[in-house]
Structure formats: structure tokens, C-alpha cells
Amino acid sequence: MITHKPPMGWNTWNTFAANIDEELILDSADKLIAAGLKDAGYEYVVVDDCWALRERGKDGKLVPDPKKFPHGMRYVADKLHEKGLKFGMYSCCGTMICARFPASFNREFLDAQTFAEWGVDFLKYDYCFKPAGAVGAELYRRMGLALASSGRDILFSGCSWGADKTPEWIGTTGANMWRSTGDIFDCWESVKSLIRQQYDILPFGGRATTWICSSSACTARATSASRAARRTNISCTLPPGACSAPRS
């Protein structure tokens, strides 16, 4: 899969963390559209950490939490696709994802096929609980191959935080974009710090390799008094200097 411009959209983590469910995702998608962000190019709706059960199913596959996603992930994907949006999900190259749910280490091809069956368009791939001695570049290459073999175009978003000399190897993994920093915090000093961290690695980004994405985010808050609007915080990750969104 080749991307010619930075993918844009909304991710659940910074505002909602583990407090996600099917209704929230679809409500947020509606607000993204109503705010004009879809027309401006914000097309991905990404479900981050804490969407699964703590144990895989008997078939070895990841299992969505039935309390949060009672109709399953294929249902969420179909609803988003009906709205003209794309569906993103989250996993990790380690033995657990960051919130200690099952991750994709040694299950890359099974999980990639599962994501394809669910209609996923985007995979954020984190770096928590990487086994001692495991080589991050090899783990990311494995998932890159798995996604390429899944039978579906799934954008591969590497999230290794810039660790282990990520800029030197991420372009060999099949990742379409990669996060170059740790997490952002809700203050201007955090934003400035992350932007400064980009200066030395800019030569590693661009269409010849993959898009660099710091944790810097721009936010457009829905202003209507509805319950969905009160719950919804539309955020988009963009390359430094490219942060712009319509204001209501």
C-alpha cells in the first residue's frame, strides 16, 4: 500500500483511553462528518487500546470485548464504511499491548488476517512489552509482511516512539507512517518538545520512505449540546507544521 499524503483522522486514546465502546465510535464518526472534517480529508476513525478481551479465543484469534462492542468489529467497520470513512485498529509487537491485553508477537499473520476479515483499513502498531533480545525492526517487518499478505489494503502505522534507532530501519518494514516520539501531554510545553525532536530525523521521512508523525495533535471540539458532542473530542495526528483544521 502506497500513501501519497499524510493519513488524517481521529484516535480514541488521548481523550477516552479505556472508556470506549461501539456507540462512542459511531457517534464520534458522525461528529467528525458534521464538523466538516471528513470533507477536509480526515477519513480514519481509529480504535486504540482496550478494545479486546484479556484472553484470545479457542481458535487463537483476538476477541473484541462484547460489552463494549456487542455487534463485533466487522459491524463497526461496515457502519464507518457506509459513512464514507475508514476503520483503524490497534495492536502491538510485544507480548502484550500497553494496557496488558493480548498483542501480536508471534501471531502477526493470524492477527493481520483477522483485521482483514473485520474490514480494517489502518493498524496502529505499538512497541510495549517487546521481548528482551527481540529486534524491533524484525518484529515490524513481520507485521508488514503479514498485512501485505492479508488480502486487504491496510495502512501500517508504526508506533515505536523513535526507540531503538527507529529512523534507520522503519523504511524497511512496510510501514506507511511512523511515530517518532513518546506520548503527548495536554500542555504547550509538551507540544513544543515533540516538535523540536523532529529536526534531526526529518531526512528519514517523506514519500520515499514513510510519513513521520510526532505525537503532536490538533483538536477540533464539537460544540453542540448533544450527549455525543459532549463525549466527542476529534483529534488528528499530523506532521509538524501541518496542523490545521476547520474551526466551528
Side-chain angles (χ1 to χ4, degrees):
M1 182 177 185
I2 298 174
T3 54
H4 295 291
K5 59 184 179 180
M8 300 190 298
W10 175 72
N11 179 292
T12 59
W13 184 256
N14 272 10
T15 300
F16 298 108
N19 300 314
I20 57 173
D21 59 31
E22 180 181 289
E23 181 184 1
L24 171 67
I25 303 308
L26 298 180
D27 284 351
S28 298
D30 288 339
K31 291 303 172 185
L32 185 148
I33 294 169
L37 292 171
K38 174 179 174 289
D39 291 339
Y42 299 87
E43 59 182 348
Y44 289 95
V45 175
V46 182
V47 176
D48 209 285
D49 208 338
C50 305
W51 58 267
L53 291 180
R54 294 284 179 183
E55 300 291 337
R56 288 176 176 264
K58 292 181 180 180
D59 58 1
K61 293 185 177 182
L62 295 164
V63 181
D65 185 331
K67 292 182 180 179
K68 294 181 176 181
F69 298 95
H71 297 94
M73 289 307 191
R74 182 74 209 200
Y75 172 85
V76 176
D78 288 346
K79 289 296 184 182
L80 291 175
H81 292 155
E82 289 172 8
K83 299 175 189 294
L85 297 169
K86 296 181 180 179
F87 180 39
M89 292 197 68
Y90 170 93
S91 190
C92 182
C93 72
T95 55
M96 296 183 288
I97 60 179
C98 298
R100 298 178 179 268
F101 292 85
S104 295
F105 179 71
N106 279 344
R107 303 288 186 97
E108 292 88 354
F109 285 84
L110 176 62
D111 289 354
Q113 188 61 48
T114 300
F115 294 141
E117 292 170 358
W118 288 346
V120 171
D121 305 294
F122 178 111
L123 178 66
K124 176 184 173 183
Y125 205 52
D126 221 327
Y127 211 61
C128 291
F129 297 104
K130 181 173 71 68
V135 178
E138 294 177 0
L139 299 182
Y140 269 50
R141 288 183 195 120
R142 196 183 301 166
M143 180 52 83
L145 286 171
L147 293 173
S149 303
S150 71
R152 182 175 179 83
D153 277 343
I154 300 176
L155 191 149
F156 184 15
S157 176
C159 183
S160 59
W161 328 317
D164 297 333
K165 299 182 179 180
T166 295
E168 297 180 9
W169 51 259
I170 193 68
T172 71
T173 65
N176 305 104
M177 59 188 287
W178 56 282
R179 205 178 91 179
S180 57
T181 69
D183 288 347
I184 192 172
F185 297 97
D186 192 12
C187 67
W188 179 236
E189 287 304 316
S190 175
V191 175
K192 289 194 294 184
S193 173
L194 297 177
I195 291 173
R196 292 190 187 106
Q197 292 177 46
Q198 308 311 301
Y199 296 153
D200 293 336
I201 62 172
L202 288 176
F204 292 97
R207 285 174 59 179
T209 52
T210 52
W211 294 102
I212 301 174
C213 297
S214 75
S215 289
S216 302
C218 64
T219 301
R221 295 186 182 274
T223 57
S224 115
S226 71
R227 175 172 174 267
R230 290 196 299 271
R231 294 171 55 187
T232 304
N233 179 2
I234 305 299
S235 301
C236 55
T237 300
L238 296 172
C243 191
S244 61
R247 295 189 178 187
S248 55

PDB file of all heavy atoms in Angstrom, residues 172-187:
ATOM      1  N   THR A 172      12.278  -0.016   6.085  1.00  0.00           N
ATOM      2  CA  THR A 172      12.415  -1.377   5.544  1.00  0.00           C
ATOM      3  C   THR A 172      11.288  -2.298   5.983  1.00  0.00           C
ATOM      4  O   THR A 172      11.299  -3.481   5.642  1.00  0.00           O
ATOM      5  CB  THR A 172      13.750  -1.997   6.005  1.00  0.00           C
ATOM      6  OG1 THR A 172      13.689  -2.305   7.414  1.00  0.00           O
ATOM      7  CG2 THR A 172      14.913  -1.060   5.737  1.00  0.00           C
ATOM      8  N   THR A 173      10.324  -1.782   6.739  1.00  0.00           N
ATOM      9  CA  THR A 173       9.326  -2.644   7.374  1.00  0.00           C
ATOM     10  C   THR A 173       7.988  -2.712   6.642  1.00  0.00           C
ATOM     11  O   THR A 173       7.144  -3.541   6.984  1.00  0.00           O
ATOM     12  CB  THR A 173       9.038  -2.150   8.798  1.00  0.00           C
ATOM     13  OG1 THR A 173       8.434  -0.847   8.735  1.00  0.00           O
ATOM     14  CG2 THR A 173      10.315  -2.087   9.625  1.00  0.00           C
ATOM     15  N   GLY A 174       7.796  -1.835   5.676  1.00  0.00           N
ATOM     16  CA  GLY A 174       6.499  -1.739   5.017  1.00  0.00           C
ATOM     17  C   GLY A 174       5.554  -0.773   5.694  1.00  0.00           C
ATOM     18  O   GLY A 174       4.415  -0.596   5.250  1.00  0.00           O
ATOM     19  N   ALA A 175       6.014  -0.112   6.775  1.00  0.00           N
ATOM     20  CA  ALA A 175       5.172   0.878   7.446  1.00  0.00           C
ATOM     21  C   ALA A 175       4.941   2.074   6.533  1.00  0.00           C
ATOM     22  O   ALA A 175       5.863   2.552   5.873  1.00  0.00           O
ATOM     23  CB  ALA A 175       5.813   1.331   8.749  1.00  0.00           C
ATOM     24  N   ASN A 176       3.703   2.560   6.512  1.00  0.00           N
ATOM     25  CA  ASN A 176       3.353   3.722   5.695  1.00  0.00           C
ATOM     26  C   ASN A 176       3.563   5.030   6.434  1.00  0.00           C
ATOM     27  O   ASN A 176       3.683   6.090   5.821  1.00  0.00           O
ATOM     28  CB  ASN A 176       1.886   3.632   5.268  1.00  0.00           C
ATOM     29  CG  ASN A 176       1.573   2.340   4.559  1.00  0.00           C
ATOM     30  OD1 ASN A 176       0.972   1.446   5.140  1.00  0.00           O
ATOM     31  ND2 ASN A 176       1.994   2.206   3.320  1.00  0.00           N
ATOM     32  N   MET A 177       3.564   4.973   7.769  1.00  0.00           N
ATOM     33  CA  MET A 177       3.803   6.138   8.603  1.00  0.00           C
ATOM     34  C   MET A 177       4.377   5.631   9.921  1.00  0.00           C
ATOM     35  O   MET A 177       4.209   4.465  10.277  1.00  0.00           O
ATOM     36  CB  MET A 177       2.514   6.930   8.837  1.00  0.00           C
ATOM     37  CG  MET A 177       1.403   6.136   9.497  1.00  0.00           C
ATOM     38  SD  MET A 177      -0.191   7.008   9.567  1.00  0.00           S
ATOM     39  CE  MET A 177       0.166   8.229  10.829  1.00  0.00           C
ATOM     40  N   TRP A 178       5.093   6.502  10.622  1.00  0.00           N
ATOM     41  CA  TRP A 178       5.665   6.052  11.886  1.00  0.00           C
ATOM     42  C   TRP A 178       5.744   7.206  12.877  1.00  0.00           C
ATOM     43  O   TRP A 178       5.974   8.342  12.520  1.00  0.00           O
ATOM     44  CB  TRP A 178       7.040   5.434  11.693  1.00  0.00           C
ATOM     45  CG  TRP A 178       8.070   6.288  11.009  1.00  0.00           C
ATOM     46  CD1 TRP A 178       8.160   6.522   9.659  1.00  0.00           C
ATOM     47  CD2 TRP A 178       9.160   6.983  11.608  1.00  0.00           C
ATOM     48  NE1 TRP A 178       9.242   7.328   9.394  1.00  0.00           N
ATOM     49  CE2 TRP A 178       9.880   7.621  10.567  1.00  0.00           C
ATOM     50  CE3 TRP A 178       9.614   7.118  12.924  1.00  0.00           C
ATOM     51  CZ2 TRP A 178      11.016   8.392  10.800  1.00  0.00           C
ATOM     52  CZ3 TRP A 178      10.751   7.887  13.155  1.00  0.00           C
ATOM     53  CH2 TRP A 178      11.435   8.505  12.108  1.00  0.00           C
ATOM     54  N   ARG A 179       5.491   6.864  14.148  1.00  0.00           N
ATOM     55  CA  ARG A 179       5.516   7.861  15.205  1.00  0.00           C
ATOM     56  C   ARG A 179       6.920   7.947  15.769  1.00  0.00           C
ATOM     57  O   ARG A 179       7.512   6.944  16.153  1.00  0.00           O
ATOM     58  CB  ARG A 179       4.526   7.509  16.304  1.00  0.00           C
ATOM     59  CG  ARG A 179       4.092   8.743  17.072  1.00  0.00           C
ATOM     60  CD  ARG A 179       3.072   8.398  18.132  1.00  0.00           C
ATOM     61  NE  ARG A 179       3.706   8.090  19.395  1.00  0.00           N
ATOM     62  CZ  ARG A 179       3.028   7.777  20.502  1.00  0.00           C
ATOM     63  NH1 ARG A 179       1.722   7.695  20.466  1.00  0.00           N
ATOM     64  NH2 ARG A 179       3.666   7.519  21.613  1.00  0.00           N
ATOM     65  N   SER A 180       7.425   9.156  15.855  1.00  0.00           N
ATOM     66  CA  SER A 180       8.841   9.361  16.168  1.00  0.00           C
ATOM     67  C   SER A 180       9.101   9.749  17.619  1.00  0.00           C
ATOM     68  O   SER A 180      10.255   9.973  17.990  1.00  0.00           O
ATOM     69  CB  SER A 180       9.392  10.469  15.253  1.00  0.00           C
ATOM     70  OG  SER A 180       8.631  11.658  15.419  1.00  0.00           O
ATOM     71  N   THR A 181       8.070   9.844  18.448  1.00  0.00           N
ATOM     72  CA  THR A 181       8.235  10.312  19.826  1.00  0.00           C
ATOM     73  C   THR A 181       7.388   9.496  20.784  1.00  0.00           C
ATOM     74  O   THR A 181       6.569   8.682  20.374  1.00  0.00           O
ATOM     75  CB  THR A 181       7.805  11.786  19.966  1.00  0.00           C
ATOM     76  OG1 THR A 181       6.376  11.861  19.795  1.00  0.00           O
ATOM     77  CG2 THR A 181       8.474  12.679  18.944  1.00  0.00           C
ATOM     78  N   GLY A 182       7.580   9.775  22.074  1.00  0.00           N
ATOM     79  CA  GLY A 182       6.682   9.246  23.088  1.00  0.00           C
ATOM     80  C   GLY A 182       5.365   9.990  23.078  1.00  0.00           C
ATOM     81  O   GLY A 182       5.067  10.764  22.159  1.00  0.00           O
ATOM     82  N   ASP A 183       4.564   9.785  24.115  1.00  0.00           N
ATOM     83  CA  ASP A 183       3.223  10.368  24.165  1.00  0.00           C
ATOM     84  C   ASP A 183       3.253  11.885  24.328  1.00  0.00           C
ATOM     85  O   ASP A 183       4.183  12.457  24.899  1.00  0.00           O
ATOM     86  CB  ASP A 183       2.431   9.782  25.335  1.00  0.00           C
ATOM     87  CG  ASP A 183       2.026   8.339  25.080  1.00  0.00           C
ATOM     88  OD1 ASP A 183       2.134   7.879  23.929  1.00  0.00           O
ATOM     89  OD2 ASP A 183       1.607   7.682  26.048  1.00  0.00           O
ATOM     90  N   ILE A 184       2.184  12.497  23.847  1.00  0.00           N
ATOM     91  CA  ILE A 184       1.967  13.926  24.056  1.00  0.00           C
ATOM     92  C   ILE A 184       1.163  14.106  25.341  1.00  0.00           C
ATOM     93  O   ILE A 184       0.393  13.223  25.745  1.00  0.00           O
ATOM     94  CB  ILE A 184       1.205  14.541  22.865  1.00  0.00           C
ATOM     95  CG1 ILE A 184       1.231  16.064  22.931  1.00  0.00           C
ATOM     96  CG2 ILE A 184      -0.222  14.021  22.776  1.00  0.00           C
ATOM     97  CD1 ILE A 184       0.669  16.729  21.675  1.00  0.00           C
ATOM     98  N   PHE A 185       1.378  15.244  26.004  1.00  0.00           N
ATOM     99  CA  PHE A 185       0.590  15.606  27.170  1.00  0.00           C
ATOM    100  C   PHE A 185      -0.148  16.915  26.887  1.00  0.00           C
ATOM    101  O   PHE A 185       0.203  17.650  25.968  1.00  0.00           O
ATOM    102  CB  PHE A 185       1.491  15.733  28.404  1.00  0.00           C
ATOM    103  CG  PHE A 185       2.150  14.437  28.771  1.00  0.00           C
ATOM    104  CD1 PHE A 185       3.444  14.153  28.355  1.00  0.00           C
ATOM    105  CD2 PHE A 185       1.465  13.474  29.485  1.00  0.00           C
ATOM    106  CE1 PHE A 185       4.051  12.944  28.659  1.00  0.00           C
ATOM    107  CE2 PHE A 185       2.056  12.254  29.801  1.00  0.00           C
ATOM    108  CZ  PHE A 185       3.357  12.001  29.389  1.00  0.00           C
ATOM    109  N   ASP A 186      -1.172  17.180  27.657  1.00  0.00           N
ATOM    110  CA  ASP A 186      -2.089  18.282  27.377  1.00  0.00           C
ATOM    111  C   ASP A 186      -1.521  19.613  27.848  1.00  0.00           C
ATOM    112  O   ASP A 186      -2.062  20.269  28.733  1.00  0.00           O
ATOM    113  CB  ASP A 186      -3.440  18.005  28.045  1.00  0.00           C
ATOM    114  CG  ASP A 186      -4.520  18.952  27.551  1.00  0.00           C
ATOM    115  OD1 ASP A 186      -4.287  19.655  26.553  1.00  0.00           O
ATOM    116  OD2 ASP A 186      -5.601  18.968  28.161  1.00  0.00           O
ATOM    117  N   CYS A 187      -0.395  20.008  27.260  1.00  0.00           N
ATOM    118  CA  CYS A 187       0.204  21.309  27.576  1.00  0.00           C
ATOM    119  C   CYS A 187       1.099  21.722  26.413  1.00  0.00           C
ATOM    120  O   CYS A 187       1.621  20.885  25.674  1.00  0.00           O
ATOM    121  CB  CYS A 187       0.996  21.256  28.886  1.00  0.00           C
ATOM    122  SG  CYS A 187       2.461  20.227  28.816  1.00  0.00           S
TER     123      CYS A 187
END
